[in-house]
Amino acid sequence: HVGDYVLETKSGNMVSYSTLNALLMKGVGTTTNILRHTYVSWLWESGKLRTSTQMKKVAHEMRHSIEMLMSYRKFLADGEQERLLVGDDAE
């Protein structure tokens, strides 16, 4: 949410989302959104998002929908997206 704090410094100062984005852009030339996409892409590539339960957990932790999480995945095998959305956790 706009205006919410996302981090606290060692000295107790609160860092907002916009401040964090500004610091990231200045320091490494990226944004929190790019970091989020990178993290989810890494989860996909490492096989940590194979079941709907895993996807629901990560989507909840990242405060977005499973559909948003799946949009980060460009290529899914035939039927994989449908299987994950209906909740087939059998491996």
Side-chain angles (χ1 to χ4, degrees):
H1 294 35
V2 175
D4 286 351
Y5 296 109
V6 293
L7 296 173
E8 182 177 348
T9 66
K10 288 182 181 180
S11 60
N13 295 325
M14 302 304 286
V15 179
S16 69
Y17 182 81
S18 60
T19 300
L20 179 59
N21 268 329
L23 291 169
L24 285 169
M25 280 302 293
K26 183 178 179 181
V28 293
T30 193
T31 65
T32 54
N33 195 44
I34 296 298
L35 294 177
R36 290 170 62 86
H37 279 264
T38 302
Y39 175 66
V40 172
S41 295
W42 173 79
L43 289 172
W44 280 113
E45 294 300 318
S46 66
K48 296 182 187 294
L49 290 177
R50 296 219 182 269
T51 68
S52 61
T53 300
Q54 292 166 334
M55 290 177 56
K56 287 174 187 174
K57 181 178 184 281
V58 171
H60 176 75
E61 289 169 350
M62 295 187 74
R63 308 295 190 258
H64 62 219
S65 68
I66 291 175
E67 288 78 11
M68 176 63 74
L69 188 75
M70 292 182 75
S71 74
Y72 293 176
R73 178 69 173 174
K74 298 200 184 286
F75 303 104
L76 291 173
D78 289 338
E80 184 177 0
Q81 181 167 346
E82 292 79 13
R83 180 185 62 80
L84 290 168
L85 285 174
V86 297
D88 179 10
D89 286 327
E91 293 186 1

